[in-house]
Amino acid sequence: MTELPTEPPPGARDSAGRRGRGRTVVGALCALVVLPVSLAVGSPAATANPGEGPVPQVTGPAVAQGPGPVEPPPPEVPRPDITTAGEPDPAPVRPVAVVTIGDGFLAGEGARWAGNAQGLRDNGGIPPELRDATDRTRTPGVAPERIYTSDCRRSDVLTLGTGTLRHHNIACSGAGTEALSRAVRSHEAQLEQLRKLAAEYDVRAVVVSIGGDDVRLTDTMKACAEQWRADRYCSTDPRITDPAAERVAAVEEKVVTAVASVREAVRGTGSAPRVVVQSYPLPLASGEPGVTTVLDENGWDRWSVAGCPFYNRDLRWLATDVGGALNTRIRAAARRSGADFVNVARLLEGHQVCGAQPLRTAFAADGTIAAPAADRAEWARYVPRTAAEPPADEAREVLHPNYYGQRALKHCLQEVVARLAAVPGAAPVEAGCRGGAGKAPERIAVTFPPASG
């Protein structure tokens, strides 16, 4: 990986070339000592107009003047420090910080689940033992309120602070672009929170995940799942495809406006952060052979076992015309706004729902529970087949990065932000983060453009 260019150090000042060269008081007194008596103040020579001819010479002898009475020196008075007197105290050094704002993909929706549980064949349903094995709240001491630290569903995983760089996550699940400027539930508007943080901290970077709720990304994926259950394609239904296309076409301007609002919020606070716009990690496999599950598209096992109620052609439409098109628009908005862009579209690659490669927690041949390690597990919450509708909180988590996916996103953003925060005045860059089958979350590839020149 190539290091980003760094700022050149300021040029050294030539203090001698800038210092004044006026005559000193001592020099002026020395000049008076060598003056003849005839030029003493009040003599005719001193008052003569130099334009009226030569100064007359004094013919009489000079009379020496004796010294006057010697006065004792005044007592020493401590002198003030002239280098600091009257100057304001230096401003305190503010802690360095990074702020993440936007929607549930940065808040951390889905962090409850460590992979997914395999359902039973034929009659469906997920055994409670397997479900519990993937539910982090079943771990002693890990309560739901510890995983989601507020009603905005900010997870305990997406913490980007490293060293002296502090992280403040003010993203809120369900936030669209317009929600950035208004209060949500018990929270102030995100832009107002950002303004206060930028005044208190030296905010070096603001990472933004926005636009997914504007195009209704997860809702559209869920609509395709509903169509599968009804034996219909979503990708050929204009009631779904036409509104989706309109929303995607409109999202670019909304993201441009959001970036401008972020910059306006920090104006005059003393912080001049880099704005880093993030694309969306795609939770579903592409529908292409080789990377998509081989379970029958028309069989119930596809949903019961794999949590994948989607036709392959619908998966292709979601990957290109919805998720892919959304990310293309977000990238264009970042470029127009002069913002940095980090492409995480392939972050979950090799670990996507409906994928051929990842494994789910299941019963082994001897009846014990076998949970795959992070490098073999699914990194997004699937669509579980349950007898009843899942609780509202669980329904919100569907098709968001899970505990493993958020660990991958954390690793991605930590490296990207650390590099960008070190060069606050550099030109905007495009970085990328990519997963892969058999890769652990902390082993994903993070790439930067080559250095220019």
Side-chain angles (χ1 to χ4, degrees):
M1 291 181 288
T2 307
E3 296 292 337
L4 287 176
T6 57
E7 289 289 306
R13 290 174 61 91
D14 183 356
S15 57
R18 296 179 182 271
R19 186 178 298 121
R21 300 186 182 274
R23 295 168 62 188
T24 64
V25 175
V26 174
L29 290 175
C30 292
L32 288 174
V33 169
V34 298
L35 286 175
V37 177
S38 61
L39 295 183
V41 176
S43 68
T47 57
N49 187 335
E52 295 179 352
V55 178
Q57 297 296 317
V58 178
T59 57
V63 179
Q65 301 291 326
V70 178
E71 296 182 1
E76 283 194 20
V77 178
R79 300 178 62 193
D81 184 354
I82 60 173
T83 61
T84 59
E87 295 181 2
D89 292 335
V93 177
R94 298 186 298 171
V96 179
V98 57
V99 179
T100 46
I101 72 172
D103 55 28
F105 280 78
L106 261 183
E109 186 76 77
R112 175 177 176 173
W113 303 100
N116 295 315
Q118 184 164 296
L120 300 175
R121 293 184 176 273
D122 300 328
N123 62 343
I126 301 168
E129 307 96 311
L130 299 184
R131 183 186 188 280
D132 289 352
T134 62
D135 185 353
R136 294 176 62 210
T137 66
R138 298 297 177 176
T139 304
V142 182
E145 58 268 21
R146 175 180 164 185
I147 294 173
Y148 299 119
T149 58
S150 76
D151 56 3
C152 275
R153 313 278 283 183
R154 297 169 188 152
S155 84
D156 61 339
V157 184
L158 288 175
T159 55
L160 308 185
T162 56
T164 59
L165 186 67
R166 305 186 185 188
H167 174 219
H168 298 272
N169 190 358
I170 58 175
C172 198
S173 183
T177 51
E178 294 181 359
L180 295 180
S181 59
R182 67 170 185 263
V184 177
R185 295 185 282 278
S186 62
H187 303 273
E188 276 187 309
Q190 291 186 47
L191 292 174
E192 178 61 17
Q193 294 181 64
L194 173 61
R195 184 190 66 78
K196 292 179 178 178
L197 288 169
E200 181 179 356
Y201 296 88
D202 178 9
V203 176
R204 297 290 180 85
V206 179
V207 184
V208 184
S209 171
I210 206 71
D213 281 277
D214 292 271
V215 303
R216 300 178 61 187
L217 177 61
T218 55
D219 287 345
T220 302
M221 290 187 282
K222 290 177 182 178
C224 287
E226 291 292 338
Q227 290 288 91
W228 181 89
R229 296 175 211 176
D231 294 324
R232 294 193 296 266
Y233 293 121
C234 69
S235 55
T236 59
D237 188 339
R239 294 172 300 174
I240 296 175
T241 58
D242 289 353
E246 291 173 5
R247 291 191 292 265
V248 168
V251 78
E252 182 177 330
E253 291 299 328
K254 293 184 177 182
V255 175
V256 169
T257 300
V259 173
S261 298
V262 166
R263 290 198 170 113
E264 183 61 31
V266 301
R267 192 184 306 278
T269 62
S271 291
R274 301 185 70 137
V275 180
V276 186
V277 178
Q278 170 191 303
S279 67
Y280 282 83
L282 302 182
L284 292 170
S286 66
E288 299 298 334
V291 297
T292 308
T293 180
V294 295
L295 290 172
D296 183 8
E297 290 183 75
N298 296 297
W300 286 109
D301 282 353
R302 190 172 173 103
W303 184 19
S304 300
V305 175
C308 176
F310 298 94
Y311 289 109
N312 286 343
R313 68 179 297 165
D314 291 347
L315 289 174
R316 288 192 287 270
W317 177 71
L318 289 168
T320 56
D321 293 14
V322 183
L326 166 63
N327 285 337
T328 298
R329 293 285 186 174
I330 291 174
R331 182 188 185 192
R335 285 184 166 184
R336 286 176 53 191
S337 304
D340 299 295
F341 175 70
V342 54
N343 187 358
V344 295
R346 303 179 74 174
L347 179 76
L348 309 179
E349 194 171 77
H351 303 273
Q352 293 164 306
V353 174
C354 300
Q357 300 95 344
L359 303 175
R360 290 166 295 279
T361 297
F363 289 119
D366 61 359
T368 60
I369 295 175
D375 60 351
R376 299 297 307 278
E378 291 178 332
W379 288 1
R381 183 64 177 158
Y382 64 175
V383 185
R385 186 176 183 188
T386 55
E389 287 296 317
D393 284 351
E394 291 188 26
R396 292 166 61 181
E397 297 167 323
V398 168
L399 299 173
H400 283 75
N402 63 20
Y403 171 64
Y404 298 135
Q406 290 184 31
R407 279 170 48 187
L409 183 59
K410 170 183 175 177
H411 176 70
C412 164
L413 294 180
Q414 272 187 330
E415 186 164 340
V416 170
V417 167
R419 292 196 182 200
L420 297 182
V423 282
V429 301
E430 292 189 5
C433 298
R434 180 177 178 180
K439 286 188 176 181
E442 290 74 27
R443 301 288 293 177
I444 62 166
V446 183
T447 57
F448 284 86
S452 59

